[in-house]
Amino acid sequence: MFIDIANIKLKAGNGGDGAVAWRREKFEPAGGPAGGDGGRGGDIIIKTDSGLHTLMDFRYKREYKAENGENGMSKLKFGKDGKDTVLKVPVGTLIRDEKTGGVLYDLKEDGMEVVVCKGGKGGMGNARFKTSTRQAPTFAQAGNRGEEREIILELKLIADVGLVGFPNVGKSTLLSIVTSARPKIANYHFTTLSPNLGVVKIDEGESFVIADIPGLIEGASDGIGLGDEFLKHIERTGILIHVIDVSGSEGRDPVEDFYKINNELVSYNERLSKKRQIIFANKIDIPGAEENLKRLTDELGGDYEIIAGSCATTENIDKLMKLTYENLKKYQDNEYETYDEEYVEVVEEREEGINVYKEKETGRFIVDGPYIDKLLRSTNFEDIESLRYFQENLRKNNVVLKLEELGVGEGESVFIGGYEFEFFE
């Protein structure tokens, strides 16, 4: 089964905590602080691998975590950095932000790698807090927490040429003739339930990748049938071969078929109308096809190159492939365009380091935020010097001033990160 979408959760490693330690070597009775820094948390990295062709692995495992950094140690030893977690995906994978749907990264080259979640920075050991007035700091800094996010991986095939057209017009048969691909072929609609890829070899050193895009029907751009699940694969092809049943063997009109398919392409994305198309009028060997071919040529021959042939007899198949290759050399742009909306970070929703507010329902004074969380984890409330450092940071970051502006009174409770404190001037 072709798996082309996966929703996964990522968690980078937390930074290790700094250590509180002292030099205790012989003949060093007052050796001073010697706590080392914590190690950096591991990143979550996504890397492309040309050997992969599906997102199947992410169907069974949905959560990925990187290793935490080690805590700092005595004798000024730093904690070990956490190992990065590297996730491998096929070339052509889009990374979307789950909340907004915007594209974070477009991985269109082999070996391309991006850091999606950054590991937390390690906390500083107590040796870092030594000053001329604080000779023996009894506290250290907690490590930063690693980034977390939920993303959507979406794979879009990267093929030079895409085969489009209604179901049962001969696309899969054409693919099987010109490549070694063996798609399922039968005389009923939606034979192809997943895109098939193959390589067409024209001559030594001359080849291109061709993809059979599953059959489209009216309303596909609105999700009818298999709809836009497969339309997205057309975006990255350089040229389209529009396969038409010129015999009208299923009671459809070839000219109308052409316009209906193109209407679905434009409805899905207007920029698809700019893609170059070659029309392959298939089933020319069936009686009555000549008349429809003339109508098709009169209607579209001035704007499109039309090759009449037959997948059943292989008539003009080589001619079609050579014409396609010549068009690729002339018109294909290797820097294909990503048609999806890019991710835009909403600055207003970014969580601040310190939030000071009064709850409307309870009237309680609350102080929270990432910085406060880290400060609390860095504080030893049983140690007077560590507590003094905590209070200094609250004043330095205007927490006391903001509480006073909110109307806090002497002796009232203030809730800081789950702890309850009494407010005193």
Side-chain angles (χ1 to χ4, degrees), residues 109-120:
E109 298 173 5
D110 186 29
M112 190 174 178
E113 60 179 62
V114 293
V115 177
V116 182
C117 285
K118 198 166 183 60

Side-chain angles (χ1 to χ4, degrees), residues 16-22 33-39 70-79 122-129 137-143:
D17 296 337
V20 176
W22 310 94
D37 297 348
E70 287 187 352
N71 294 336
M73 293 168 278
S74 59
K75 298 184 180 180
L76 295 175
K77 291 180 182 177
F78 284 20
M124 294 186 291
N126 68 332
R128 297 270 195 172
F129 294 95
T138 54
F139 57 91
Q141 190 181 52

Side-chain angles (χ1 to χ4, degrees), residues 374-386:
K374 181 179 179 180
L375 184 61
L376 284 169
R377 289 186 290 115
S378 304
T379 303
N380 176 8
F381 289 105
E382 295 180 1
D383 181 86
I384 188 65
E385 194 166 355
S386 182

Side-chain angles (χ1 to χ4, degrees), residues 48-67:
T48 55
D49 184 339
S50 58
L52 298 176
H53 303 289
T54 74
L55 296 171
M56 179 70 78
D57 292 345
F58 301 100
R59 187 183 182 195
Y60 303 106
K61 185 178 179 183
R62 302 281 180 146
E63 295 188 15
Y64 297 86
K65 296 180 180 180
E67 191 175 74

Side-chain angles (χ1 to χ4, degrees), residues 17-46:
D17 296 337
V20 176
W22 310 94
R23 290 184 64 185
R24 303 198 182 279
E25 289 91 343
K26 194 174 182 181
F27 307 119
E28 293 283 351
D37 297 348
R40 179 188 62 83
D43 298 333
I44 300 281
I45 298 171
I46 295 183

Side-chain angles (χ1 to χ4, degrees), residues 342-376:
E342 293 186 4
Y343 170 74
V344 178
E345 186 173 7
V346 182
V347 178
E348 301 87 80
E349 295 182 359
R350 186 184 297 162
E351 190 175 17
E352 295 181 5
I354 301 177
N355 305 310
V356 183
Y357 57 96
K358 184 177 182 179
E359 281 187 336
K360 290 182 180 180
E361 298 83 2
T362 63
R364 298 193 310 174
F365 295 94
I366 308 292
V367 181
D368 59 22
Y371 180 81
I372 287 295
D373 175 65
K374 181 179 179 180
L375 184 61
L376 284 169

